[in-house]
Amino acid sequence: MRKYINKLLVLCTLVAPLALVSCETDTDSNPVFHPNEGELVLNNPANAVNNTYDLANSEGIVLTTSQPAYSQDVPLATTYAVQVSLNDIWTNTDEAINFQELTSTYTTARMTVDASEINDAMVELYKAAHNDEAPTAAMPLYMRIRSYVRGGNSSQTYYGERVSNSVMLPSVLASYQAPAITLPTQLYVVGSCVGTAWSTWKPMAPVYGLDGEFYTVIYNDGSAQFKWGTYENDWRGYQGFVAVNDNAGAGVADVDGDNHNIGLTNGGWYVVHITSKINGKAIDYTLNIEPARAFVIGQVCGDKWNDSDPAWEMTAPTSKDGLWESPAFSVARDGELRAYVKVGSIDWWRTEFTVQSTGNLLYRTTDIQNSWSEATSDYATGLQNGQKLYVNFDANTGEIK
């Protein structure tokens, strides 16, 4: 019985923290953890000497390694991580990044290492050592394996960590893949004329059916400045546009020195309309400042559908927090609200909106042939003669009363 007791003590001391096996049962099958015994040997890949690995046209590189003897009794679950280097140096410093460990890990001693992960790591290592220049020719690649057993209460707790020998693949071709260029799916504005000054990132509404185009309505008290971005805290300025078109006489200017804020020197309400276009590996953005005009249309106008009908234009307030007011409704049929911001010469239905039960404005992003009911169930309908629409464009809220 003594040998069983000794074995149980060793198991509880070394293996229990790993939660790999219970110590409650005393049997000969309990594994004993040996963190430092045996070698981890990485084999040279087959055909490595006379072969060029073209990573862009490969699924992966097959590696095989010895199984570490973490237990002399039964195999313990082992994790393998792959490390790559261009110079066979396996230390990283503040001055030089010599190797990378790939993201994917493996649980068998034979693994197909993802070619795209190897490619990306090689490109990053090469650019770091060559002033951000991308590789253009095949080069040697060194690879090694790190093995360990997971345990404890955290997946980041490792036991029995070992590294293998390194092997050299004499000819590996890595290719820099430029990120795919796509048009933005959201733009924002921020500034002294938006919400809480320089804190509120106001989402711009998309122009329906025109990819990469966005608009919003802002008020200028005579000293407005703002920035824009593709996400909150992006902080792009005047210099981020390839062209600026002041179609409203707003007095658009590049202001505030190196901050490059977009300034408007003439007071009033304006539409900020930004377009984007792919130009090679870049996106060209154009800023258009238009006069701000808003209208109601359709059933609340006696079933009139004329674009920019002055009889149904909303009246603008004289402050940022003021309410735009529509003419009194002359309801036809069930009185569904359809309203829009007029943005340059763009058709009204590309920039239309309605009011939700929450009081928020809902801008059109989907196809609507006849009614907002085709896009949502939460929209203003059942309106009556004499009611009006009131809109706060700074907060993007509305009310009908």
Side-chain angles (χ1 to χ4, degrees):
M1 183 64 182
R2 179 176 297 275
K3 69 174 182 177
Y4 298 130
I5 294 174
N6 290 339
K7 192 172 189 178
L8 185 60
L9 289 174
V10 172
L11 177 63
C12 291
T13 301
L14 296 178
V15 182
L18 306 180
L20 293 171
V21 65
S22 171
C23 292
E24 294 179 358
T25 303
D26 181 18
T27 68
D28 284 330
S29 64
N30 287 341
V32 179
F33 188 54
H34 300 283
N36 300 311
E37 292 185 11
E39 288 187 289
L40 176 64
V41 178
L42 177 60
N43 304 310
N44 281 299
N47 303 318
V49 175
N50 300 314
N51 183 44
T52 292
Y53 290 94
D54 182 359
L55 297 176
N57 296 293
S58 172
E59 292 185 1
I61 295 176
V62 177
L63 298 179
T64 59
T65 184
S66 60
Q67 180 86 28
Y70 285 120
S71 170
Q72 296 176 350
D73 305 275
V74 296
L76 297 180
T78 304
T79 298
Y80 302 95
V82 179
Q83 298 176 344
V84 298
S85 171
L86 302 183
N87 55 15
D88 204 22
I89 298 175
W90 302 97
T91 56
N92 289 331
T93 66
D94 292 338
E95 291 74 29
I97 303 299
N98 295 301
F99 79 96
Q100 281 196 17
E101 184 168 293
L102 306 184
T103 302
S104 296
T105 57
Y106 307 87
T107 57
T108 63
R110 186 182 190 278
M111 60 208 82
T112 301
V113 186
D114 186 86
S116 65
E117 287 191 38
I118 302 173
N119 183 89
D120 292 347
M122 288 184 66
V123 169
E124 286 188 30
L125 290 169
Y126 187 91
K127 291 176 70 176
H130 294 84
N131 296 318
D132 211 36
E133 293 292 328
T136 58
M139 68 190 82
L141 174 67
Y142 299 87
M143 306 182 76
R144 73 177 189 177
I145 299 296
R146 181 172 71 95
S147 72
Y148 53 89
V149 175
R150 296 187 188 274
N153 295 323
S154 170
S155 62
Q156 299 303 312
T157 301
Y158 305 138
Y159 296 91
E161 183 175 272
R162 305 179 198 174
V163 292
S164 73
N165 58 296
S166 65
V167 298
M168 184 184 75
L169 283 61
S171 183
V172 181
L173 179 61
S175 305
Y176 173 70
Q177 304 293 326
I181 300 297
T182 58
L183 293 175
T185 57
Q186 183 65 72
L187 292 182
Y188 298 82
V189 291
V190 63
S192 64
C193 53
V194 179
T196 301
W198 300 108
S199 177
T200 300
W201 284 85
K202 180 183 180 183
M204 301 179 71
V207 178
Y208 171 68
L210 300 179
D211 292 343
E213 295 198 24
F214 299 85
Y215 67 98
T216 194
V217 179
I218 64 171
Y219 180 74
N220 176 25
D221 61 3
S223 61
Q225 295 185 20
F226 66 95
K227 286 185 179 291
W228 63 288
T230 57
Y231 55 88
E232 294 186 15
N233 298 309
D234 194 9
W235 300 108
R236 303 191 187 198
Y238 189 97
Q239 84 283 13
F241 298 110
V242 297
V244 176
N245 302 309
D246 186 355
N247 300 321
V252 185
D254 186 348
V255 300
D256 200 19
D258 292 341
N259 286 325
H260 296 291
N261 291 343
I262 305 158
L264 304 178
T265 58
N266 298 323
W269 285 93
Y270 299 100
V271 170
V272 177
H273 173 215
I274 298 177
T275 66
S276 60
K277 181 180 180 180
I278 295 176
N279 181 9
K281 295 181 180 180
I283 298 178
D284 290 343
Y285 292 94
T286 297
L287 171 64
N288 306 287
I289 302 295
E290 307 287 350
R293 302 176 68 193
F295 299 81
V296 291
I297 196 169
Q299 296 168 13
V300 297
C301 306
D303 236 0
K304 293 182 173 62
W305 298 89
N306 297 325
D307 194 343
S308 304
D309 187 341
W312 294 102
E313 184 170 0
M314 300 182 69
T315 301
T318 57
S319 66
K320 182 181 72 170
D321 298 326
L323 298 180
W324 288 63
E325 180 180 341
S326 77
F329 299 156
S330 176
V331 175
R333 291 183 287 166
D334 65 355
E336 175 186 64
L337 175 67
R338 300 188 74 162
Y340 59 97
V341 175
K342 188 61 183 174
V343 181
S345 60
I346 296 174
D347 292 329
W348 71 267
W349 47 270
R350 294 190 184 276
T351 55
E352 73 166 304
F353 63 89
T354 190
V355 177
Q356 296 179 295
S357 59
T358 58
N360 294 320
L361 300 187
L362 177 63
Y363 291 94
R364 177 172 175 173
T365 59
T366 57
D367 187 25
I368 299 173
Q369 293 293 325
N370 301 294
S371 168
W372 271 95
S373 63
E374 299 165 13
T376 180
S377 60
D378 186 6
Y379 69 102
T381 188
L383 307 183
Q384 304 298 316
N385 287 320
Q387 288 182 310
K388 295 182 179 182
L389 169 64
Y390 298 88
V391 172
N392 180 332
F393 278 116
D394 184 58
N396 277 338
T397 57
E399 182 180 9
I400 296 167
K401 57 183 180 180

